[in-house]
Amino acid sequence: MSEAVEVYSHSEQGTSLWQDAWHRLRQNKLALSGLIILLLEIIIALLTPWLAPYGYEQQNLALGAVPPSLEHWLGTDTLGRDLLTRIMYGGRVSLTVGFIATAVALLIGVVYGAVAGYLGGRVDAVMMRVVDILYALPFMIFIILLMVIFGQNILLLFLAIGAVEWLTMARIVRGQVQSLRQQEYIEAAISIGLAPWTIIRRHIIPNTLGPVIVYTTLTIPSVMLLEAFLSFLGLGIQPPQSSWGLLISYGVETMEEFPWLLIYPGLTLSITLFALNFLGDGLRDALDPRASKD
């Protein structure tokens, strides 16, 4: 009898949204694989100075470009630099750009969208018209102008990309907040006299984290592709530093003679983008409040 009561009480024990989400995410093999790949890439990026077989500036002009071998697993470029080392160091830059620029977009977009959605009325109308106007601007040209005027500074690159990626985030958060405003706990918070910013900070923003997290995983690939495009144009990361976009740009120029210089950086970036998109799709399903509990 006691065993039956114990089993019943265990089955009736409540679980949080995040526990349920993690349980559903673990059942999604593609999403879990994407998470593992990303964690491995982050660990490798952090440990690159100790794991890389060569220095990222170390070159051997006499060796030149050679295909993959036991000494250079992914081959070398035309300056005799080890491609595996360059990809590892490039991953540090590309992942940093992806995460920091996305964090900038996240901060601006979540706060802007939460304020617009909560206050509503004329404030919301004005704020969202500003978003509409900014959407109409050619932001690629804006970023290029920033790079040309202020120089190709990596910190400026983070800020410039993040500053143009927050618009969709703001719209998503605004839509979520407009639905949350009708909830009873928000009305209760208003009735006891909490300040609007306190309600936004304590109740509104935490309850929008599900869609925000999902969109964040989809923004990081977009940011990384934007950095790759800027590097391809010569406006992103500059030598002797490297990023995956810069390596791909260099590989395109030499693809007919030395195809491995394009294949391996392109494959690395593609795997990363697939992992992020698989993880984003998995998180979208896992954080869906309509999903049934197992």
Side-chain angles (χ1 to χ4, degrees):
M1 180 68 178
S2 60
E3 292 182 357
V5 172
E6 182 179 352
V7 171
Y8 175 78
S9 62
H10 178 73
S11 64
E12 291 297 311
Q13 184 177 2
T15 57
S16 69
L17 169 65
W18 300 106
Q19 289 174 324
D20 290 338
W22 172 241
H23 176 69
R24 288 192 290 269
L25 184 65
R26 285 186 301 173
Q27 295 179 328
N28 189 324
K29 302 303 181 184
L30 283 177
L32 195 60
S33 299
L35 177 61
I36 293 172
I37 290 172
L38 288 174
L39 290 176
L40 286 175
E41 289 184 341
I42 292 171
I43 292 172
I44 291 172
L46 293 173
L47 300 178
T48 288
W50 297 275
L51 295 178
Y54 301 90
Y56 76 96
E57 291 182 319
Q58 184 177 343
Q59 59 186 30
N60 185 346
L61 294 176
L63 180 64
V66 297
S69 63
L70 291 177
E71 185 176 359
H72 300 280
W73 291 359
L74 300 184
T76 61
D77 62 14
T78 55
L79 297 178
R81 296 174 296 189
D82 183 69
L83 184 58
L84 175 59
T85 299
R86 304 275 294 167
I87 289 176
M88 292 173 69
Y89 275 98
R92 290 166 64 90
V93 174
S94 293
L95 291 173
T96 301
V97 170
F99 284 107
I100 292 184
T102 300
V104 173
L106 189 69
L107 177 63
I108 299 173
V110 169
V111 174
Y112 194 94
V115 171
Y118 180 77
L119 296 180
R122 292 184 178 179
V123 175
D124 176 49
V126 172
M127 292 179 72
M128 297 317 296
R129 294 302 75 74
V130 171
V131 170
D132 293 338
I133 292 171
L134 292 178
Y135 257 119
L137 297 178
F139 271 108
M140 182 57 66
I141 296 177
F142 172 70
I143 294 177
I144 292 174
L145 287 176
L146 284 178
M147 297 290 104
V148 172
I149 294 173
F150 295 102
Q152 295 166 349
N153 185 291
I154 189 170
L155 179 60
L156 179 62
L157 182 65
F158 296 157
L159 297 177
I161 294 177
V164 303
E165 290 289 335
W166 64 272
L167 301 175
T168 303
M169 179 71 74
R171 282 185 167 178
I172 291 174
V173 172
R174 171 183 175 266
Q176 288 293 118
V177 171
Q178 286 183 325
S179 64
L180 289 173
R181 284 181 60 196
Q182 311 303 321
Q183 299 297 318
E184 293 180 354
Y185 65 90
I186 299 297
E187 294 179 355
I190 295 173
S191 67
I192 63 175
L194 288 182
W197 174 244
T198 302
I199 297 175
I200 292 172
R201 180 171 53 88
R202 292 184 180 178
H203 302 290
I204 296 293
I205 292 179
N207 283 282
T208 63
L209 287 181
V212 166
I213 290 173
V214 173
Y215 185 71
T216 297
T217 62
L218 301 177
T219 301
I220 294 174
S222 174
V223 169
M224 293 177 67
L225 285 173
L226 182 54
E227 181 277 324
F229 177 70
L230 291 172
S231 296
F232 185 82
L233 295 178
L235 296 171
I237 306 302
Q238 296 300 305
Q241 290 182 314
S242 65
S243 70
W244 290 338
L246 188 62
L247 292 175
I248 291 171
S249 173
Y250 183 70
V252 169
E253 297 175 358
T254 58
M255 60 181 297
E256 294 184 0
E257 296 178 282
F258 315 116
W260 61 89
L261 296 181
L262 174 62
I263 292 173
Y264 294 117
L267 187 61
T268 304
L269 179 60
S270 297
I271 290 173
T272 305
L273 298 181
F274 274 121
L276 284 164
N277 280 284
F278 288 149
L279 179 60
D281 289 341
L283 286 172
R284 180 193 60 203
D285 296 336
L287 293 170
D288 187 352
R290 293 169 297 181
S292 59
K293 295 184 179 182
D294 292 333

